[in-house]
Amino acid sequence: MNRATRMRARRPVRLPALRWDPRLLAVLVVVVLAIGLGWAQATRPAAVETVAGGATSVPIEGQTLVCPQAGGVPIGGAAHIAYADADPDPVAAANSSVTAAPLGPDGIASTIAVQAGHAWNVDGPTTLGPVRVDMTGPVASTSSAVQVIQQTIGGTSQASNVPCEGPTTDAWFAGFASGVGDHATLLLSNVDTVAATVDIGIYGDSAPPNADADHDLVVAPQAQVAVRLDTLAPGFANAVAHVTATSGRIVPAIRYDTENGALPLGVEWIPR
């Protein structure tokens, strides 16, 4: 299967009607836990140790994640952040801290109780916007989080989710379109106290690559900037975006909405 076919296969389609069932969250958080287990086993050092050449390896003691739009769901919907901790040790959990707060200098943090060796979910904020999740202690190397949104779109109950991820300086996204009825929004979140400068490149199926579609875009400290990719580079049935931070760091995410005229069809989050 060539790349264009694979990318076309990712194009969102209207999801079948479903009734919201709290058990759906249980399924999602189990998936998060499974991912967390594999990731933690692959990445977490058991302890401080000496490696070849006399260097030392130490556990990760802190990480910051961003859930790009974990809140502000219309009436009849629900927003959650699903967490999972792969380490069943209650002592490690007791020596850990997890907090969640709206991204911004005035965001008020809420303490998230760590459930060692389990997956669980917490209601998202009522206001639309990014949420910053800070993890410190042993949990930082054994846990993950996912944004879960359930809402009614075009009369149909739908669910969408996206991993809450950490800052980076380079990311690629493939599998969205920018034609009529396609709306791809790049959300750039900055968790640091210094501004970030970002370049955006677009690669489409019907034009030469544009590695400089937008450049020197400034993302203020502890803020989020939204970029409409379908306006920046319209007319592609299949498109790829390359996001580069030339200074600072950002947490990028792409929300992809489709519609038929005025009828919304669905929402999908494009993974890195």
Side-chain angles (χ1 to χ4, degrees):
M1 184 183 292
N2 60 36
R3 186 176 70 175
T5 303
R6 290 196 304 269
M7 293 169 65
R8 190 173 296 112
R10 282 197 51 76
R11 184 173 182 178
V13 296
R14 183 169 185 168
L15 301 176
L18 57 86
R19 294 180 179 177
W20 178 246
D21 187 334
R23 290 174 296 178
L24 290 175
L25 282 176
V27 174
L28 285 168
V29 293
V30 166
V31 172
V32 177
L33 178 59
I35 294 172
L37 279 167
W39 174 64
Q41 291 172 356
T43 62
R44 184 184 181 188
V48 177
E49 60 180 347
T50 302
V51 295
T56 57
S57 174
V58 297
I60 298 170
E61 289 298 333
Q63 70 164 332
T64 297
L65 308 175
V66 171
C67 307
Q69 231 176 31
V73 177
I75 295 174
H80 304 271
I81 299 176
Y83 298 87
D85 180 18
D87 189 347
D89 183 4
V91 175
N95 291 325
S96 299
S97 171
V98 177
T99 61
L103 180 64
D106 300 323
I108 299 176
S110 299
T111 299
I112 309 300
V114 178
Q115 300 182 28
H118 289 76
W120 69 100
N121 71 85
V122 178
D123 289 345
T126 57
T127 302
L128 180 67
V131 172
R132 171 181 177 146
V133 177
D134 287 292
M135 299 180 176
T136 59
V139 74
S141 60
T142 62
S143 295
S144 57
V146 170
Q147 168 187 310
V148 182
I149 301 293
Q150 182 269 332
Q151 62 189 122
T152 300
I153 299 177
T156 301
S157 182
Q158 300 188 3
S160 62
N161 65 83
V162 61
C164 304
E165 298 191 280
T168 186
T169 59
D170 190 279
W172 290 82
F173 297 87
F176 63 94
S178 58
V180 176
D182 297 306
H183 305 293
T185 303
L186 172 63
L187 299 171
L188 300 170
S189 302
N190 182 359
V191 299
D192 296 323
T193 56
V194 295
T197 305
V198 178
D199 292 346
I200 303 171
I202 300 292
Y203 301 78
D205 57 350
S206 58
N210 184 357
D212 196 28
D214 199 354
H215 62 279
D216 293 338
L217 180 64
V218 176
V219 183
Q222 302 179 54
Q224 185 183 83
V225 169
V227 181
R228 283 285 299 272
L229 298 180
D230 49 298
T231 301
L232 182 64
F236 292 132
N238 295 292
V240 170
H242 184 203
V243 181
T244 306
T246 56
S247 67
R249 308 181 301 168
I250 40 87
V251 182
I254 291 182
R255 176 187 165 113
Y256 183 24
D257 302 76
T258 60
E259 63 182 15
N260 182 7
L263 178 64
L265 299 180
V267 177
E268 179 181 15
W269 290 89
I270 307 299
R272 292 187 198 175

